[in-house]
Amino acid sequence: MIIVLCIFTVVFLILLCYCCYNDIYYKFRSILLLTELHNTPEVPIPTLLELQGGQIPSWLTGVMYRIGPGRFNIQQVDGSIFSIRHVFDGLPFMHRFELDGQSQTVKYNSRCLAKTFESRIQTRSFKGILFFGHVSDMTFFEWLYHFFARVANQVVYVMWGRHDCPDGQIVGVTATPNFPLPASLDKSKDDHVLVSKTDANVLQKIHAETLEPQHLFDYASFDKHLWGQLTAAHHQRDPVTKEVFNFVLRIVPFPRLIVFKTSENGETTVLANITRRHDQTPFTASYIHSLWLTKNYIIIPESPLTFKDRGRNLLMNGSVVSSMHWDENASAYFHLIRRRHSSREKEGLVASIRASAFFCFHVGNAFESTCPVTSDALLVLDCASFSSGDVMHQLHQFGAPPQLKASHFLKSLEKNRPLNGITNPPHPQLEFGNLVRYTLNVQKVEMVSMTTFVENIEFPRFNQDYIMRPEHRYLYGCQLCNSTESCCLIKVDLNTSATKTYCSRYGHSCSEPVFVPKPEGTEEDDGVLLSLVNDSVRDCCYLVIVDAKDMKELACIKIGEFTAITFHGSYVDHEFESINVN
């Protein structure tokens, strides 16, 4: 009888898995079918680039790092091509630009950061790969095999700790110079530290000049309690105390948010261990890409874009996006965690402030203020805010050429049926989120205002000399321009909402701008913006230097006859001091 019961249970579970395979798996796979992405060539040896026009400011001497996907199509041993159809999952490339304004030169080199991972795909020896959005083509039994492998990788090995080759995983969202390292990693005094990060709890130490991957580690390397599946690709750093702030998010077996800070020498302190909001309602594991920091608080958003299935589809389909659900009837929350609390306080979470539903990838600045009427403490938070989760099904075509977006527009004319609360088939992304300022009253535990400065903006950056300062005035970002099928740079005056733009030609797409202040500058916008521009018409890539005050082009440097998709960048001066770090 027991044997019969066991057989029945196994058969039932296999049938249940088969239903999931024929439902969610095929629906997410169909979203990606029209996507075709092209490889970026690797340039391992530093190459002198061609200055095509203008002049590099004589004071601009330093290194910009940019990171993003570069390899999507991988030939396997049987001659077939393994094609990655989601931009966020291309094998990451680190790009290095060494600028010298005195000699008017720019040297460039790049490297793929996941060659061991690539070789596993080539030899078909991979198992249990977890992508952000890509869904691989496979039979049901292949799907079932990889499902069980992911359970081992993401649940068992995450708890026990895991080891891999320095380039054995995909780590390619943010490039962070001068990031603290755990004691287990040796760091010589002359070693310039460069770390790549992502939304998974895995970090990669990279040689700052050759860009060769050196070590993989996770936050549990700092503190054994910091194990978990997810984290924020964008940490926060206090330039005065030089402390780094972030969190680890466990979505399995139960939602748990562990907030911590790390000192310059790698000493880590857990600030909050959250399973419930401050009002004791259950904390929901949501997708969190970034967070805010003020002088006294860490502020972490909990949006209604959640892992409602506790990661079930993530493990089954190998796609993080397949586990995301948007609940339009749910609220968002701002979780306020005290940066410093005494040993008598059991919990660093001091408030969970409710807000209308929103989601943001990227935050701007944040600072503390005082209400002029009540003298209550206020928190002022800027971000690029989305009012729905639709962007999550549009990301696979980020940075894609206009003709690809046109094909997706035709597909989007089909009848829409929400998938996990998100529009499906997805509409083409015609605009970004809105630049919104949320003001929170700490004493009253409420949001007192929500101000929209500009619509259609993403990748907010600013002069980091003004981090956490109320006098901060200017913010820079990217804006989609559908009339020219381009993405331009935009400057926003937060005092007046006035804007200025740098717009390139048809089919030109500007990447996230990196602000570099002029050493002798006296005003907040004294400096330049560095941005990569992809020309999809001529299949070329350029580095442009734009005056941050009037948004006029100062110099244009040709990188090569290819396009390079990059997400984020950071800049250090000639002494490797952090000037603007994402």
Side-chain angles (χ1 to χ4, degrees):
M1 184 66 183
I2 295 177
I3 296 175
V4 173
L5 184 62
C6 290
I7 293 173
F8 176 80
T9 302
V10 171
V11 172
F12 174 76
L13 290 175
I14 291 176
L15 288 174
L16 185 64
C17 288
Y18 189 72
C19 290
C20 294
Y21 172 77
N22 274 304
D23 182 25
I24 298 295
Y25 168 75
Y26 271 103
K27 286 179 180 177
F28 277 94
R29 186 168 163 267
S30 67
I31 293 175
L32 308 175
L33 285 179
L34 297 178
T35 306
E36 293 182 10
L37 301 164
H38 304 290
N39 292 347
T40 299
E42 195 175 19
V43 184
I45 300 175
T47 303
L48 200 62
L49 299 182
E50 175 189 353
L51 179 62
Q52 287 211 321
Q55 281 193 320
I56 302 171
S58 59
W59 53 266
L60 187 62
T61 302
V63 176
M64 179 178 70
Y65 295 98
R66 291 202 65 90
I67 193 168
R71 193 160 293 162
F72 300 95
N73 304 296
I74 302 164
Q75 186 168 1
Q76 298 181 299
V77 290
D78 60 1
S80 63
I81 301 296
F82 185 97
S83 292
I84 297 171
R85 298 193 182 98
H86 197 292
V87 170
F88 277 36
D89 294 310
L91 303 192
F93 274 45
M94 184 72 78
H95 305 265
R96 182 179 184 272
F97 299 86
E98 185 176 339
L99 298 101
D100 189 338
Q102 292 291 331
S103 62
Q104 294 291 295
T105 59
V106 178
K107 289 182 181 179
Y108 166 73
N109 60 304
S110 65
R111 182 182 288 269
C112 176
L113 303 180
K115 291 186 176 180
T116 295
F117 186 95
E118 180 183 19
S119 69
R120 291 170 184 160
I121 293 177
Q122 290 172 334
T123 59
R124 305 177 71 91
S125 60
F126 62 91
K127 58 182 179 180
I129 292 181
L130 179 62
F131 289 105
F132 181 83
H134 175 71
V135 177
S136 300
D137 298 334
M138 56 183 67
T139 66
F140 170 66
F141 288 104
E142 288 174 329
W143 178 91
L144 199 62
Y145 169 78
H146 287 282
F147 165 46
F148 287 114
R150 276 188 288 271
V151 172
N153 291 343
Q154 300 301 320
V155 181
V156 180
Y157 296 154
V158 167
M159 296 174 65
W160 292 349
R162 56 187 173 190
H163 303 280
D164 204 342
C165 302
D167 56 355
Q169 296 190 42
I170 296 177
V171 189
V173 178
T174 53
T176 309
N178 298 308
F179 194 78
L181 297 176
S184 58
L185 295 186
D186 293 329
K187 175 182 175 296
S188 66
K189 292 182 179 179
D190 297 327
D191 186 18
H192 291 158
V193 174
L194 177 64
V195 170
S196 62
K197 309 196 310 300
T198 184
D199 288 321
N201 185 8
V202 59
L203 303 92
Q204 184 180 45
K205 184 178 182 292
I206 299 163
H207 193 281
E209 294 183 6
T210 67
L211 308 180
E212 180 182 0
Q214 297 176 316
H215 298 283
L216 279 180
F217 60 103
D218 58 15
Y219 286 116
S221 303
F222 294 92
D223 186 311
K224 64 181 181 180
H225 298 99
L226 300 179
W227 66 267
Q229 292 79 30
L230 301 176
T231 183
H234 300 271
H235 70 284
Q236 285 286 355
R237 179 179 182 270
D238 187 321
V240 177
T241 66
K242 298 185 178 180
E243 295 169 314
V244 166
F245 299 83
N246 209 333
F247 64 84
V248 167
L249 175 63
R250 300 176 193 168
I251 57 176
V252 289
F254 302 103
R256 182 180 295 271
L257 185 74
I258 304 173
V259 185
F260 63 92
K261 66 178 179 180
T262 304
S263 68
E264 188 179 18
N265 60 10
E267 295 180 1
T268 301
T269 304
V270 174
L271 300 174
N273 195 325
I274 302 170
T275 57
R276 291 183 175 273
R277 304 181 186 113
H278 199 261
D279 62 4
Q280 294 306 303
T281 56
F283 165 77
T284 304
S286 64
Y287 176 52
I288 310 169
H289 190 65
S290 59
L291 59 150
W292 292 275
L293 181 71
T294 68
K295 290 184 178 180
N296 292 294
Y297 299 98
I298 306 111
I299 303 97
I300 297 179
E302 178 192 334
S303 75
L305 183 65
T306 64
F307 297 99
K308 194 173 183 179
D309 61 4
R310 293 189 177 179
R312 183 182 67 251
N313 280 310
L314 177 154
L315 294 173
M316 286 185 167
N317 303 308
S319 164
V320 174
V321 173
S322 70
S323 267
M324 293 182 184
H325 291 67
W326 176 261
D327 187 350
E328 62 181 4
N329 298 315
S331 299
Y333 290 87
F334 297 95
H335 295 297
L336 278 56
I337 296 95
R338 203 187 307 277
R339 287 178 52 173
R340 308 166 192 86
H341 59 276
S342 67
S343 58
R344 292 174 295 179
E345 294 179 292
K346 294 182 179 180
E347 182 60 79
L349 177 65
V350 297
S352 298
I353 298 178
R354 186 192 297 264
S356 55
F358 80 96
F359 165 76
C360 76
F361 273 112
H362 303 113
V363 303
N365 205 358
F367 56 86
E368 297 177 16
S369 183
T370 303
C371 177
V373 177
T374 64
S375 298
D376 288 346
L378 302 178
L379 300 181
V380 182
L381 317 173
D382 295 340
C383 71
S385 178
F386 293 85
S387 60
S388 76
D390 285 358
V391 64
M392 301 311 301
H393 288 185
Q394 299 169 332
L395 292 174
H396 60 285
Q397 53 182 312
F398 172 83
Q403 57 270 27
L404 175 60
K405 294 184 179 181
S407 64
H408 278 274
F409 175 74
L410 294 176
K411 189 174 189 297
S412 72
L413 296 179
E414 300 173 15
K415 185 176 180 180
N416 294 112
R417 294 181 179 177
L419 176 58
N420 295 347
I422 300 172
T423 301
N424 182 62
H427 295 304
Q429 188 173 20
L430 302 179
E431 60 182 19
F432 290 132
N434 299 331
L435 178 57
V436 174
R437 170 167 290 179
Y438 297 94
T439 303
L440 313 179
N441 187 308
V442 179
Q443 274 74 31
K444 292 189 169 93
V445 193
E446 65 180 12
M447 185 181 75
V448 295
S449 68
M450 185 182 83
T451 305
T452 299
F453 292 108
V454 177
E455 295 181 350
N456 183 17
I457 191 170
E458 247 295 3
F459 301 105
R461 297 296 291 264
F462 57 93
N463 183 341
Q464 290 191 347
D465 290 340
Y466 287 76
I467 189 169
M468 299 187 292
R469 291 170 56 182
E471 58 268 31
H472 160 63
R473 180 175 179 177
Y474 298 109
L475 185 140
Y476 304 87
C478 294
Q479 187 174 63
L480 292 176
C481 182
N482 296 302
S483 61
T484 59
E485 293 283 2
S486 64
C487 181
C488 65
L489 301 181
I490 184 170
K491 174 184 180 180
V492 183
D493 186 331
L494 299 175
N495 289 353
T496 66
S497 294
T499 63
K500 294 181 181 178
T501 57
Y502 165 77
C503 292
S504 42
R505 296 188 296 271
Y506 176 86
H508 283 206
S509 294
C510 297
S511 69
E512 170 202 64
V514 177
F515 181 92
V516 183
K518 189 176 181 180
E520 294 84 21
T522 58
E523 298 182 336
E524 183 181 348
D525 57 352
D526 280 337
V528 298
L529 303 177
L530 305 179
S531 176
L532 264 62
V533 177
N534 282 325
D535 181 350
S536 62
V537 176
R538 297 174 179 81
D539 198 28
C540 286
C541 185
Y542 305 89
L543 168 64
V544 295
I545 303 173
V546 177
D547 191 317
K549 191 173 285 289
D550 61 13
M551 299 299 286
K552 302 294 185 183
E553 183 179 299
L554 298 176
C556 179
I557 301 100
K558 184 176 180 180
I559 300 171
E561 294 185 357
F562 56 85
T563 56
I565 300 171
T566 61
F567 299 135
H568 300 292
S570 294
Y571 181 87
V572 295
D573 65 15
H574 65 284
E575 296 180 346
F576 212 80
E577 292 294 322
S578 298
I579 302 300
N580 201 311
V581 174
N582 197 319

